[in-house]
Amino acid sequence: MQNIFSLKTICLLFFFVSTFSFAQHEEEKMHLEEIAPEVEGKQGIKEEIKEYINHHLLDSHDFGLYSYETDAGEHKYVGFPLPVILWDNGLQVFSSSKLHHGESVAEVNGNHYKLYHGKIYKTNAEGTIHHDAHHHATNFKPLDFSITKNVFTIFLVGLLIFFMFRSMAKSYTKGALPKGMGRLLEPVVLYIRDDIAIPNIGIKKYKRYMPYLLTVFFFIWIINLLGLTPLGVNVTNNIAVTLALALLTYLITTFTANKNYWGHIFWMPGVPWPMKIILAPIELLGTFIKPFSLLIRLYANITAGHIVLMSIIGLMFIFKNWLGSSLSFGLAFVLALLELLVAALQAYIFTMLSALYFGSAVEEHHHDDHH
């Protein structure tokens, strides 16, 4: 009965997420409908769609839910501001509402700052931005430690995971079965333990890696699902985030590895010594390539999914006929459902490969030295 209940809960969750996902893309469609009549010709529409996709993928200094244009032609934004933290001859802290989405100049302690293409530059009271020959901004750019939308979402998901597992852990300490959300989480936790951690790391040493494997799986999964909601959160298509995750896997692998792991890298047993000298740098390079492949795989798959989905929606306004619009609508809906699978699949792949690297780091090798 418990397994049936869990299956029903998972199906219900997928249904709601797919509904929210489609609602998000309907909102993007409505936005594209607003900008399409303002541009004449297909080339202009393509440029507008491309610009909107690039804007959608960027991080921001405020948590914007949606925007609309009033009858007076003024853009209104619905959301809430986030704290901007800059280091410019001291700490400068202010609300992102002062920047007004790049339309205003923020004055803080006699300094003036302007948001330009997603980055904050120091400027004058008029907000002048200077450019070089390649049209790159040459204004001074202070160190930015702001709580952006992605950072806020990471903190939020971290707290969510903490409270989810805290209630589940309390149930186990009391010797009772988990209730509510715990029933949904338990089959996933057992799957990660029995089908990922133990087979790849070993029954003796898997427990020390379970906290990280569970955390990284649920973190990536929940973040990816949030990216399919109308909130417009796209954390894992930020390469800095995937780099941090891959770096954690690399550091854990490196600092928990045993002497056999390093012995197989720098001085392979059973291999002629001239080949050992040649293979050692290659094997050492491989230790860096493995986590690099983790970060690129996660970043590229999530980013590509968003780009393809919004590009398909944009085709409706390029074809401008019932056949092209219907096909684009159907493809967008199917792809939105497929992204549900990709969200879980990317979390699984990252966790599986991390466990595989941990297993190779702690594996005990027994070699027969008698030839």
Side-chain angles (χ1 to χ4, degrees), residues 145-219:
F145 301 99
S146 304
I147 307 297
T148 62
K149 182 168 68 173
N150 283 354
V151 175
F152 176 82
T153 305
I154 289 172
F155 287 154
L156 187 65
V157 172
L159 288 174
L160 177 63
I161 292 175
F162 173 76
F163 286 112
M164 281 167 47
F165 282 97
R166 183 170 175 267
S167 61
M168 189 176 179
K170 279 187 176 181
S171 300
Y172 281 121
T173 54
K174 294 177 182 178
L177 291 174
K179 299 178 180 179
M181 182 61 70
R183 290 192 178 185
L184 174 66
L185 296 177
E186 187 181 37
V188 183
V189 172
L190 292 178
Y191 178 80
I192 294 173
R193 184 193 70 180
D194 298 337
D195 293 279
I196 295 179
I198 294 177
N200 290 289
I201 303 174
I203 191 68
K204 294 181 180 179
K205 299 181 179 180
Y206 81 93
K207 288 184 179 179
R208 64 191 300 195
Y209 298 102
M210 277 298 291
Y212 174 75
L213 294 176
L214 287 173
T215 302
V216 77
F217 176 85
F218 282 100
F219 175 79

Side-chain angles (χ1 to χ4, degrees), residues 14 217 221 224-225 339-349:
F14 274 19
F217 176 85
W221 190 22
N224 287 346
L225 289 178
E339 281 198 351
L340 286 174
L341 174 62
V342 173
L345 186 62
Q346 289 304 313
Y348 167 79
I349 291 173

Side-chain angles (χ1 to χ4, degrees), residues 68-130:
Y68 63 94
E69 189 173 342
T70 63
D71 295 336
E74 182 183 359
H75 281 285
K76 291 289 185 180
Y77 298 90
V78 177
F80 54 88
L82 295 170
V84 176
I85 306 170
L86 304 176
W87 183 264
D88 180 21
N89 294 325
L91 205 60
Q92 311 290 341
V93 182
F94 59 96
S95 172
S96 63
S97 59
K98 288 189 173 184
L99 298 169
H100 201 254
H101 309 279
E103 298 173 5
S104 303
V105 178
E107 183 180 356
V108 184
N109 300 325
N111 299 312
H112 297 86
Y113 302 100
K114 184 176 177 62
L115 184 64
Y116 183 71
H117 291 312
K119 298 178 181 178
I120 297 177
Y121 293 91
K122 193 171 184 178
T123 181
N124 52 24
E126 290 75 27
T128 305
I129 300 292
H130 302 284

Side-chain angles (χ1 to χ4, degrees), residues 25 28 49-50 53-54 56-57 234 237 299-314 335 339:
H25 304 311
E28 292 165 358
I49 292 172
K50 182 179 178 181
I53 292 174
N54 291 334
H56 175 79
L57 296 176
N234 301 297
N237 70 4
Y299 165 76
N301 279 281
I302 299 302
T303 304
H306 286 285
I307 292 175
V308 170
L309 188 53
M310 287 185 287
S311 299
I312 290 174
I313 294 174
L335 192 58
E339 281 198 351

